[in-house]
CSV table of all heavy atoms in Angstrom, one decimal:
chain,number,residue,atom,x,y,z
O,1,VAL,N,24.8,-26.1,-4.4
O,1,VAL,CA,23.7,-27.0,-4.2
O,1,VAL,C,22.7,-26.7,-5.3
O,1,VAL,O,22.3,-25.6,-5.5
O,1,VAL,CB,23.1,-26.8,-2.8
O,1,VAL,CG1,21.8,-27.6,-2.7
O,1,VAL,CG2,24.1,-27.2,-1.8
O,2,GLU,N,22.3,-27.7,-6.0
O,2,GLU,CA,21.3,-27.6,-7.0
O,2,GLU,C,19.9,-27.6,-6.3
O,2,GLU,O,19.6,-28.5,-5.6
O,2,GLU,CB,21.4,-28.7,-8.0
O,2,GLU,CG,20.4,-28.6,-9.1
O,2,GLU,CD,20.5,-29.7,-10.2
O,2,GLU,OE1,21.6,-30.4,-10.2
O,2,GLU,OE2,19.5,-30.0,-10.9
O,3,VAL,N,19.1,-26.6,-6.6
O,3,VAL,CA,17.8,-26.5,-6.0
O,3,VAL,C,16.8,-27.3,-6.9
O,3,VAL,O,16.6,-27.0,-8.0
O,3,VAL,CB,17.3,-25.1,-5.8
O,3,VAL,CG1,15.9,-25.0,-5.3
O,3,VAL,CG2,18.2,-24.3,-4.9
O,4,THR,N,16.2,-28.3,-6.3
O,4,THR,CA,15.3,-29.1,-7.0
O,4,THR,C,14.0,-29.2,-6.2
O,4,THR,O,13.9,-28.9,-5.1
O,4,THR,CB,15.8,-30.6,-7.3
O,4,THR,OG1,15.9,-31.2,-6.0
O,4,THR,CG2,17.1,-30.6,-8.0
O,5,ILE,N,12.9,-29.7,-6.9
O,5,ILE,CA,11.7,-29.9,-6.2
O,5,ILE,C,11.9,-30.9,-5.0
O,5,ILE,O,11.3,-30.7,-3.9
O,5,ILE,CB,10.6,-30.5,-7.1
O,5,ILE,CG1,10.3,-29.4,-8.2
O,5,ILE,CG2,9.4,-30.9,-6.4
O,5,ILE,CD1,9.8,-28.1,-7.7
O,6,ASP,N,12.7,-31.9,-5.2
O,6,ASP,CA,13.0,-32.9,-4.1
O,6,ASP,C,13.7,-32.2,-2.9
O,6,ASP,O,13.3,-32.5,-1.8
O,6,ASP,CB,13.9,-34.0,-4.6
O,6,ASP,CG,13.2,-34.9,-5.6
O,6,ASP,OD1,12.0,-35.0,-5.5
O,6,ASP,OD2,13.9,-35.5,-6.4
O,7,LEU,N,14.6,-31.3,-3.1
O,7,LEU,CA,15.2,-30.5,-2.0
O,7,LEU,C,14.2,-29.7,-1.3
O,7,LEU,O,14.1,-29.7,-0.1
O,7,LEU,CB,16.3,-29.6,-2.6
O,7,LEU,CG,17.0,-28.7,-1.6
O,7,LEU,CD1,17.7,-29.5,-0.5
O,7,LEU,CD2,17.8,-27.7,-2.2
O,8,LEU,N,13.3,-29.0,-2.0
O,8,LEU,CA,12.3,-28.2,-1.4
O,8,LEU,C,11.4,-29.1,-0.6
O,8,LEU,O,11.1,-28.8,0.6
O,8,LEU,CB,11.5,-27.5,-2.5
O,8,LEU,CG,12.2,-26.4,-3.2
O,8,LEU,CD1,11.4,-25.8,-4.3
O,8,LEU,CD2,12.7,-25.3,-2.3
O,9,ARG,N,10.9,-30.2,-1.1
O,9,ARG,CA,10.0,-31.0,-0.4
O,9,ARG,C,10.6,-31.8,0.8
O,9,ARG,O,10.0,-31.8,1.8
O,9,ARG,CB,9.4,-32.1,-1.4
O,9,ARG,CG,8.3,-33.0,-0.7
O,9,ARG,CD,7.8,-34.0,-1.7
O,9,ARG,NE,8.9,-34.9,-2.1
O,9,ARG,CZ,9.2,-35.1,-3.4
O,9,ARG,NH1,8.6,-34.5,-4.3
O,9,ARG,NH2,10.2,-35.9,-3.7
O,10,ASP,N,11.8,-32.2,0.6
O,10,ASP,CA,12.5,-33.0,1.6
O,10,ASP,C,13.1,-32.3,2.8
O,10,ASP,O,13.2,-32.7,3.9
O,10,ASP,CB,13.5,-34.0,1.0
O,10,ASP,CG,12.9,-35.0,0.1
O,10,ASP,OD1,11.6,-35.2,0.1
O,10,ASP,OD2,13.6,-35.6,-0.7
O,11,ARG,N,13.6,-31.1,2.5
O,11,ARG,CA,14.4,-30.3,3.5
O,11,ARG,C,13.7,-29.0,3.9
O,11,ARG,O,13.6,-28.7,5.1
O,11,ARG,CB,15.8,-30.0,3.0
O,11,ARG,CG,16.7,-31.3,2.9
O,11,ARG,CD,18.0,-30.8,2.6
O,11,ARG,NE,19.0,-31.9,2.9
O,11,ARG,CZ,20.3,-31.8,2.6
O,11,ARG,NH1,20.7,-30.7,2.0
O,11,ARG,NH2,21.1,-32.7,3.0
O,12,ILE,N,13.4,-28.2,2.9
O,12,ILE,CA,13.0,-26.8,3.3
O,12,ILE,C,11.5,-26.8,3.8
O,12,ILE,O,11.2,-26.2,4.8
O,12,ILE,CB,13.2,-25.9,2.0
O,12,ILE,CG1,14.7,-25.8,1.7
O,12,ILE,CG2,12.6,-24.5,2.3
O,12,ILE,CD1,15.0,-25.1,0.5
O,13,GLU,N,10.7,-27.6,3.1
O,13,GLU,CA,9.3,-27.6,3.6
O,13,GLU,C,9.1,-28.1,5.0
O,13,GLU,O,8.4,-27.4,5.8
O,13,GLU,CB,8.4,-28.4,2.6
O,13,GLU,CG,6.9,-28.2,3.0
O,13,GLU,CD,6.0,-28.9,2.0
O,13,GLU,OE1,6.5,-29.3,0.9
O,13,GLU,OE2,4.9,-29.1,2.3
O,14,PRO,N,9.7,-29.2,5.4
O,14,PRO,CA,9.6,-29.6,6.8
O,14,PRO,C,10.2,-28.6,7.8
O,14,PRO,O,9.6,-28.4,8.9
O,14,PRO,CB,10.4,-30.9,6.9
O,14,PRO,CG,10.4,-31.4,5.5
O,14,PRO,CD,10.4,-30.2,4.6
O,15,ALA,N,11.3,-28.0,7.5
O,15,ALA,CA,11.8,-27.0,8.3
O,15,ALA,C,10.9,-25.7,8.4
O,15,ALA,O,10.7,-25.2,9.5
O,15,ALA,CB,13.2,-26.5,7.9
O,16,GLY,N,10.4,-25.4,7.3
O,16,GLY,CA,9.4,-24.2,7.3
O,16,GLY,C,8.2,-24.5,8.0
O,16,GLY,O,7.6,-23.7,8.8
O,17,SER,N,7.7,-25.8,7.9
O,17,SER,CA,6.5,-26.2,8.7
O,17,SER,C,6.8,-26.1,10.2
O,17,SER,O,5.9,-25.7,11.0
O,17,SER,CB,6.0,-27.6,8.3
O,17,SER,OG,5.6,-27.6,6.9
O,18,ALA,N,7.9,-26.6,10.6
O,18,ALA,CA,8.3,-26.6,12.0
O,18,ALA,C,8.4,-25.1,12.5
O,18,ALA,O,7.9,-24.8,13.6
O,18,ALA,CB,9.6,-27.3,12.2
O,19,ALA,N,9.0,-24.3,11.7
O,19,ALA,CA,9.1,-22.9,12.1
O,19,ALA,C,7.7,-22.2,12.2
O,19,ALA,O,7.4,-21.4,13.1
O,19,ALA,CB,9.9,-22.1,11.1
O,20,ALA,N,6.8,-22.6,11.2
O,20,ALA,CA,5.5,-22.0,11.2
O,20,ALA,C,4.7,-22.4,12.5
O,20,ALA,O,3.9,-21.7,13.0
O,20,ALA,CB,4.7,-22.4,10.0
O,21,ALA,N,4.9,-23.6,13.0
O,21,ALA,CA,4.2,-24.1,14.1
O,21,ALA,C,4.8,-23.6,15.4
O,21,ALA,O,4.1,-23.7,16.5
O,21,ALA,CB,4.3,-25.7,14.1
O,22,SER,N,6.0,-23.0,15.4
O,22,SER,CA,6.6,-22.5,16.6
O,22,SER,C,6.2,-21.1,16.9
O,22,SER,O,5.6,-20.4,16.0
O,22,SER,CB,8.1,-22.7,16.5
O,22,SER,OG,8.7,-21.6,15.8
O,23,ASP,N,6.6,-20.6,18.0
O,23,ASP,CA,6.3,-19.2,18.4
O,23,ASP,C,7.7,-18.4,18.3
O,23,ASP,O,7.8,-17.4,18.9
O,23,ASP,CB,5.7,-19.1,19.8
O,23,ASP,CG,5.0,-17.8,20.0
O,23,ASP,OD1,4.6,-17.2,19.0
O,23,ASP,OD2,4.9,-17.4,21.2
O,24,ALA,N,8.6,-19.0,17.6
O,24,ALA,CA,10.0,-18.4,17.6
O,24,ALA,C,10.0,-17.2,16.6
O,24,ALA,O,9.3,-17.1,15.7
O,24,ALA,CB,11.0,-19.4,17.1
O,25,VAL,N,11.0,-16.3,16.9
O,25,VAL,CA,11.3,-15.2,16.0
O,25,VAL,C,12.4,-15.8,15.1
O,25,VAL,O,13.4,-16.4,15.5
O,25,VAL,CB,11.8,-14.0,16.7
O,25,VAL,CG1,12.3,-12.9,15.8
O,25,VAL,CG2,10.8,-13.5,17.7
O,26,LEU,N,12.3,-15.5,13.8
O,26,LEU,CA,13.2,-16.1,12.8
O,26,LEU,C,14.1,-15.0,12.1
O,26,LEU,O,13.6,-13.9,11.9
O,26,LEU,CB,12.5,-16.8,11.7
O,26,LEU,CG,11.5,-18.0,12.1
O,26,LEU,CD1,10.8,-18.5,10.9
O,26,LEU,CD2,12.3,-19.1,12.8
O,27,LEU,N,15.3,-15.4,11.9
O,27,LEU,CA,16.2,-14.6,11.0
O,27,LEU,C,16.7,-15.5,9.9
O,27,LEU,O,17.4,-16.5,10.1
O,27,LEU,CB,17.4,-14.1,11.9
O,27,LEU,CG,18.5,-13.4,11.1
O,27,LEU,CD1,18.0,-12.1,10.4
O,27,LEU,CD2,19.7,-13.1,11.9
O,28,LEU,N,16.2,-15.2,8.7
O,28,LEU,CA,16.6,-15.9,7.5
O,28,LEU,C,17.8,-15.2,6.9
O,28,LEU,O,17.7,-14.1,6.5
O,28,LEU,CB,15.5,-16.0,6.5
O,28,LEU,CG,14.2,-16.7,7.1
O,28,LEU,CD1,13.1,-16.7,6.1
O,28,LEU,CD2,14.5,-18.1,7.5
O,29,ARG,N,18.9,-15.9,6.7
O,29,ARG,CA,20.1,-15.4,6.1
O,29,ARG,C,20.4,-16.1,4.8
O,29,ARG,O,20.2,-17.3,4.7
O,29,ARG,CB,21.3,-15.5,7.1
O,29,ARG,CG,21.1,-14.7,8.3
O,29,ARG,CD,22.2,-14.9,9.3
O,29,ARG,NE,23.5,-15.1,8.7
O,29,ARG,CZ,24.6,-15.4,9.3
O,29,ARG,NH1,24.6,-15.6,10.6
O,29,ARG,NH2,25.7,-15.6,8.7
O,30,GLY,N,21.1,-15.4,3.9
O,30,GLY,CA,21.5,-16.1,2.7
O,30,GLY,C,21.9,-15.1,1.6
O,30,GLY,O,21.7,-13.9,1.8
O,31,GLU,N,22.4,-15.6,0.5
O,31,GLU,CA,22.7,-14.7,-0.6
O,31,GLU,C,21.5,-14.0,-1.2
O,31,GLU,O,20.4,-14.5,-1.0
O,31,GLU,CB,23.4,-15.6,-1.7
O,31,GLU,CG,24.7,-16.3,-1.3
O,31,GLU,CD,25.8,-15.3,-1.2
O,31,GLU,OE1,25.9,-14.3,-1.9
O,31,GLU,OE2,26.7,-15.6,-0.4
O,32,SER,N,21.8,-12.9,-1.8
O,32,SER,CA,20.7,-12.2,-2.5
O,32,SER,C,20.1,-13.1,-3.6
O,32,SER,O,20.8,-13.8,-4.3
O,32,SER,CB,21.3,-10.9,-3.1
O,32,SER,OG,20.3,-10.2,-3.8
O,33,GLY,N,18.7,-13.0,-3.6
O,33,GLY,CA,18.0,-13.8,-4.7
O,33,GLY,C,17.8,-15.3,-4.4
O,33,GLY,O,17.5,-16.0,-5.3
O,34,THR,N,18.0,-15.7,-3.1
O,34,THR,CA,17.9,-17.1,-2.8
O,34,THR,C,16.5,-17.5,-2.3
O,34,THR,O,16.2,-18.7,-2.0
O,34,THR,CB,18.9,-17.6,-1.8
O,34,THR,OG1,18.8,-16.8,-0.6
O,34,THR,CG2,20.3,-17.5,-2.3
O,35,GLY,N,15.6,-16.5,-2.2
O,35,GLY,CA,14.2,-16.9,-1.8
O,35,GLY,C,13.9,-16.7,-0.4
O,35,GLY,O,12.9,-17.3,0.1
O,36,LYS,N,14.7,-16.0,0.4
O,36,LYS,CA,14.4,-15.8,1.8
O,36,LYS,C,13.1,-15.1,2.0
O,36,LYS,O,12.3,-15.6,2.9
O,36,LYS,CB,15.5,-14.9,2.4
O,36,LYS,CG,16.9,-15.5,2.4
O,36,LYS,CD,18.0,-14.6,2.9
O,36,LYS,CE,18.1,-13.3,2.2
O,36,LYS,NZ,18.6,-13.4,0.8
O,37,ASN,N,12.7,-14.1,1.3
O,37,ASN,CA,11.5,-13.4,1.4
O,37,ASN,C,10.3,-14.4,1.1
O,37,ASN,O,9.3,-14.4,1.8
O,37,ASN,CB,11.4,-12.2,0.5
O,37,ASN,CG,10.3,-11.3,0.9
O,37,ASN,OD1,9.7,-11.3,2.0
O,37,ASN,ND2,10.0,-10.4,0.0
O,38,VAL,N,10.5,-15.2,0.1
O,38,VAL,CA,9.4,-16.1,-0.3
O,38,VAL,C,9.2,-17.1,0.8
O,38,VAL,O,8.1,-17.4,1.2
O,38,VAL,CB,9.8,-16.9,-1.6
O,38,VAL,CG1,8.8,-18.0,-1.9
O,38,VAL,CG2,9.9,-15.9,-2.8
O,39,LEU,N,10.3,-17.7,1.4
O,39,LEU,CA,10.2,-18.6,2.5
O,39,LEU,C,9.5,-18.0,3.7
O,39,LEU,O,8.7,-18.6,4.3
O,39,LEU,CB,11.6,-19.2,2.8
O,39,LEU,CG,11.6,-20.2,4.0
O,39,LEU,CD1,10.7,-21.4,3.7
O,39,LEU,CD2,13.0,-20.6,4.2
O,40,ALA,N,9.9,-16.7,4.0
O,40,ALA,CA,9.4,-16.0,5.1
O,40,ALA,C,7.9,-15.9,5.0
O,40,ALA,O,7.1,-16.1,5.9
O,40,ALA,CB,10.0,-14.7,5.3
O,41,ARG,N,7.4,-15.5,3.8
O,41,ARG,CA,6.0,-15.3,3.6
O,41,ARG,C,5.2,-16.7,3.6
O,41,ARG,O,4.1,-16.7,4.1
O,41,ARG,CB,5.8,-14.6,2.2
O,41,ARG,CG,6.2,-13.2,2.3
O,41,ARG,CD,6.0,-12.4,1.0
O,41,ARG,NE,6.5,-11.1,1.1
O,41,ARG,CZ,5.9,-10.0,1.8
O,41,ARG,NH1,4.7,-10.2,2.3
O,41,ARG,NH2,6.5,-8.9,1.8
O,42,TRP,N,5.9,-17.7,3.2
O,42,TRP,CA,5.3,-19.1,3.2
O,42,TRP,C,5.1,-19.5,4.7
O,42,TRP,O,4.1,-20.0,5.1
O,42,TRP,CB,6.1,-20.1,2.4
O,42,TRP,CG,5.5,-21.4,2.4
O,42,TRP,CD1,4.6,-21.9,1.4
O,42,TRP,CD2,5.7,-22.5,3.3
O,42,TRP,NE1,4.2,-23.2,1.7
O,42,TRP,CE2,4.9,-23.6,2.8
O,42,TRP,CE3,6.4,-22.7,4.4
O,42,TRP,CZ2,4.8,-24.8,3.5
O,42,TRP,CZ3,6.3,-23.9,5.1
O,42,TRP,CH2,5.5,-24.9,4.7
O,43,ILE,N,6.2,-19.3,5.4
O,43,ILE,CA,6.1,-19.7,6.9
O,43,ILE,C,5.0,-18.9,7.6
O,43,ILE,O,4.2,-19.5,8.3
O,43,ILE,CB,7.5,-19.4,7.6
O,43,ILE,CG1,8.5,-20.4,7.1
O,43,ILE,CG2,7.3,-19.5,9.1
O,43,ILE,CD1,9.9,-20.1,7.5
O,44,ARG,N,4.9,-17.6,7.3
O,44,ARG,CA,3.9,-16.8,7.9
O,44,ARG,C,2.5,-17.2,7.5
O,44,ARG,O,1.6,-17.4,8.3
O,44,ARG,CB,4.1,-15.3,7.6
O,44,ARG,CG,3.0,-14.5,8.2
O,44,ARG,CD,3.3,-13.0,7.9
O,44,ARG,NE,2.2,-12.2,8.4
O,44,ARG,CZ,1.1,-11.9,7.7
O,44,ARG,NH1,1.0,-12.3,6.4
O,44,ARG,NH2,0.2,-11.1,8.2
O,45,ALA,N,2.3,-17.5,6.2
O,45,ALA,CA,1.0,-17.9,5.7
O,45,ALA,C,0.5,-19.2,6.3
O,45,ALA,O,-0.7,-19.5,6.4
O,45,ALA,CB,1.0,-18.0,4.2
O,46,ASN,N,1.5,-20.1,6.7
O,46,ASN,CA,1.2,-21.4,7.3
O,46,ASN,C,1.2,-21.4,8.8
O,46,ASN,O,1.3,-22.5,9.4
O,46,ASN,CB,2.1,-22.4,6.7
O,46,ASN,CG,1.8,-22.7,5.3
O,46,ASN,OD1,0.8,-23.4,5.0
O,46,ASN,ND2,2.5,-22.1,4.4
O,47,SER,N,1.3,-20.2,9.4
O,47,SER,CA,1.4,-20.1,10.9
O,47,SER,C,0.1,-19.6,11.5
O,47,SER,O,-0.7,-19.0,10.8
O,47,SER,CB,2.5,-19.2,11.3
O,47,SER,OG,2.2,-17.9,11.1
O,48,PRO,N,-0.1,-19.8,12.8
O,48,PRO,CA,-1.3,-19.2,13.5
O,48,PRO,C,-1.3,-17.7,13.4
O,48,PRO,O,-2.3,-17.0,13.6
O,48,PRO,CB,-1.1,-19.7,14.9
O,48,PRO,CG,-0.2,-20.8,14.9
O,48,PRO,CD,0.7,-20.6,13.7
O,49,ARG,N,-0.1,-17.1,13.1
O,49,ARG,CA,0.0,-15.6,13.1
O,49,ARG,C,-0.2,-15.1,11.6
O,49,ARG,O,0.1,-13.9,11.3
O,49,ARG,CB,1.3,-15.1,13.6
O,49,ARG,CG,1.5,-15.5,15.0
O,49,ARG,CD,2.9,-15.0,15.5
O,49,ARG,NE,3.9,-16.0,15.1
O,49,ARG,CZ,5.2,-15.9,15.5
O,49,ARG,NH1,5.6,-14.9,16.2
O,49,ARG,NH2,6.0,-16.8,15.1
O,50,ALA,N,-0.9,-15.8,10.8
O,50,ALA,CA,-1.0,-15.4,9.4
O,50,ALA,C,-1.7,-14.1,9.2
O,50,ALA,O,-1.5,-13.4,8.2
O,50,ALA,CB,-1.7,-16.5,8.6
O,51,HIS,N,-2.6,-13.7,10.1
O,51,HIS,CA,-3.4,-12.5,10.0
O,51,HIS,C,-2.7,-11.3,10.7
O,51,HIS,O,-3.3,-10.2,10.7
O,51,HIS,CB,-4.8,-12.7,10.4
O,51,HIS,CG,-5.5,-13.8,9.6
O,51,HIS,ND1,-5.8,-13.7,8.3
O,51,HIS,CD2,-5.8,-15.1,9.9
O,51,HIS,CE1,-6.3,-14.8,7.8
O,51,HIS,NE2,-6.3,-15.7,8.8
O,52,ALA,N,-1.6,-11.6,11.4
O,52,ALA,CA,-0.9,-10.5,12.1
O,52,ALA,C,-0.1,-9.7,11.1
O,52,ALA,O,0.2,-10.1,10.0
O,52,ALA,CB,-0.1,-11.1,13.2
O,53,PRO,N,0.3,-8.5,11.6
O,53,PRO,CA,1.2,-7.7,10.7
O,53,PRO,C,2.5,-8.4,10.4
O,53,PRO,O,3.0,-9.2,11.2
O,53,PRO,CB,1.5,-6.4,11.5
O,53,PRO,CG,0.4,-6.3,12.5
O,53,PRO,CD,0.0,-7.8,12.8
O,54,PHE,N,3.1,-8.1,9.2
O,54,PHE,CA,4.3,-8.8,8.7
O,54,PHE,C,5.3,-7.7,8.4
O,54,PHE,O,5.0,-6.8,7.6
O,54,PHE,CB,3.9,-9.7,7.5
O,54,PHE,CG,5.1,-10.4,7.0
O,54,PHE,CD1,5.7,-11.4,7.7
O,54,PHE,CD2,5.6,-10.1,5.7
O,54,PHE,CE1,6.7,-12.2,7.2
O,54,PHE,CE2,6.7,-10.8,5.2
O,54,PHE,CZ,7.2,-11.9,5.9
O,55,VAL,N,6.5,-7.8,8.9
O,55,VAL,CA,7.5,-6.8,8.7
O,55,VAL,C,8.7,-7.5,8.1
O,55,VAL,O,9.2,-8.5,8.6
O,55,VAL,CB,7.9,-6.1,10.0
O,55,VAL,CG1,9.1,-5.1,9.7
O,55,VAL,CG2,6.8,-5.4,10.6
O,56,VAL,N,9.2,-6.9,7.0
O,56,VAL,CA,10.5,-7.4,6.3
O,56,VAL,C,11.5,-6.4,6.6
O,56,VAL,O,11.4,-5.2,6.3
O,56,VAL,CB,10.3,-7.6,4.8
O,56,VAL,CG1,11.6,-8.0,4.2
O,56,VAL,CG2,9.2,-8.6,4.5
O,57,ALA,N,12.6,-6.8,7.2
O,57,ALA,CA,13.8,-5.9,7.4
O,57,ALA,C,14.9,-6.4,6.6
O,57,ALA,O,15.4,-7.5,6.7
O,57,ALA,CB,14.2,-6.0,8.9
O,58,SER,N,15.3,-5.6,5.6
O,58,SER,CA,16.4,-6.0,4.7
O,58,SER,C,17.5,-4.9,4.8
O,58,SER,O,17.3,-3.8,4.2
O,58,SER,CB,15.9,-6.1,3.3
O,58,SER,OG,16.9,-6.5,2.4
O,59,SER,N,18.5,-5.2,5.4
O,59,SER,CA,19.6,-4.2,5.6
O,59,SER,C,20.9,-4.9,5.6
O,59,SER,O,21.6,-5.0,6.7
O,59,SER,CB,19.4,-3.3,6.8
O,59,SER,OG,20.4,-2.3,6.9
O,60,PRO,N,21.4,-5.4,4.5
O,60,PRO,CA,22.6,-6.2,4.4
O,60,PRO,C,23.8,-5.5,5.1
O,60,PRO,O,24.6,-6.1,5.8
O,60,PRO,CB,22.9,-6.4,3.0
O,60,PRO,CG,21.6,-6.2,2.3
O,60,PRO,CD,20.8,-5.2,3.2
O,61,SER,N,24.0,-4.2,4.8
O,61,SER,CA,25.2,-3.6,5.4
O,61,SER,C,25.2,-3.5,6.9
O,61,SER,O,26.2,-3.6,7.6
O,61,SER,CB,25.4,-2.2,4.8
O,61,SER,OG,24.3,-1.4,5.0
O,62,ALA,N,24.0,-3.3,7.5
O,62,ALA,CA,23.8,-3.2,8.9
O,62,ALA,C,24.0,-4.5,9.6
O,62,ALA,O,24.6,-4.6,10.7
O,62,ALA,CB,22.5,-2.6,9.3
O,63,TRP,N,23.7,-5.6,9.0
O,63,TRP,CA,23.8,-6.9,9.6
O,63,TRP,C,25.1,-7.6,9.5
O,63,TRP,O,25.5,-8.4,10.2
O,63,TRP,CB,22.7,-7.9,9.0
O,63,TRP,CG,21.3,-7.5,9.4
O,63,TRP,CD1,20.4,-6.9,8.7
O,63,TRP,CD2,20.7,-7.8,10.7
O,63,TRP,NE1,19.2,-6.7,9.4
O,63,TRP,CE2,19.4,-7.3,10.7
O,63,TRP,CE3,21.2,-8.4,11.9
O,63,TRP,CZ2,18.6,-7.4,11.7
O,63,TRP,CZ3,20.3,-8.5,12.9
O,63,TRP,CH2,19.0,-8.0,12.9
O,64,GLN,N,25.9,-7.2,8.5
O,64,GLN,CA,27.2,-7.8,8.2
O,64,GLN,C,28.1,-7.8,9.4
O,64,GLN,O,28.7,-8.8,9.7
O,64,GLN,CB,27.8,-7.1,7.0
O,64,GLN,CG,28.3,-8.0,5.9
O,64,GLN,CD,28.8,-7.2,4.7
O,64,GLN,OE1,29.1,-6.0,4.8
O,64,GLN,NE2,28.8,-7.9,3.6
O,65,ASP,N,28.2,-6.7,10.1
O,65,ASP,CA,29.1,-6.7,11.2
O,65,ASP,C,28.6,-7.3,12.5
O,65,ASP,O,29.3,-7.6,13.4
O,65,ASP,CB,29.4,-5.2,11.5
O,65,ASP,CG,30.2,-4.5,10.4
O,65,ASP,OD1,30.8,-5.3,9.6
O,65,ASP,OD2,30.1,-3.3,10.3
O,66,ARG,N,27.3,-7.5,12.6
O,66,ARG,CA,26.6,-8.0,13.8
O,66,ARG,C,26.3,-9.5,13.9
O,66,ARG,O,26.1,-10.0,14.9
O,66,ARG,CB,25.4,-7.2,14.0
O,66,ARG,CG,25.7,-5.7,14.3
O,66,ARG,CD,24.4,-4.9,14.6
O,66,ARG,NE,24.8,-3.6,14.9
O,66,ARG,CZ,24.4,-2.6,14.1
O,66,ARG,NH1,23.7,-2.8,13.1
O,66,ARG,NH2,24.8,-1.3,14.4
O,67,VAL,N,26.3,-10.1,12.7
O,67,VAL,CA,25.9,-11.5,12.7
O,67,VAL,C,27.1,-12.4,12.4
O,67,VAL,O,27.9,-12.0,11.7
O,67,VAL,CB,24.7,-11.7,11.7
O,67,VAL,CG1,24.4,-13.2,11.6
O,67,VAL,CG2,23.6,-10.9,12.0
């Protein structure tokens, strides 16, 4: 999938906005270097919890067998 501005605007931003508005706990999965951390920080910054503590858990080997 080619990542373009249109893809970001049309698919990822609406999903991120919906996630930011919810009270759900999120697990972002994907290949290394795909922007999961950037998306997580954007969702948090646009949520009511923007001023709460933020924790990043990155442990690929631990998650591989469980997810």
Side-chain angles (χ1 to χ4, degrees):
V1 173
E2 181 179 340
V3 177
T4 65
I5 297 299
D6 291 335
L7 174 67
L8 293 173
R9 183 183 61 240
D10 296 343
R11 288 186 161 176
I12 296 172
E13 187 176 345
S17 294
S22 79
D23 200 26
V25 175
L26 302 175
L27 172 62
L28 301 175
R29 295 175 35 184
E31 298 285 329
S32 178
T34 56
K36 295 175 300 292
N37 194 19
V38 172
L39 179 59
R41 291 181 184 281
W42 184 88
I43 290 170
R44 180 178 174 270
N46 289 281
S47 77
R49 297 181 278 185
H51 301 290
F54 181 68
V55 176
V56 175
S58 179
S59 184
S61 61
W63 288 102
Q64 231 172 18
D65 297 335
R66 295 186 178 112
V67 179

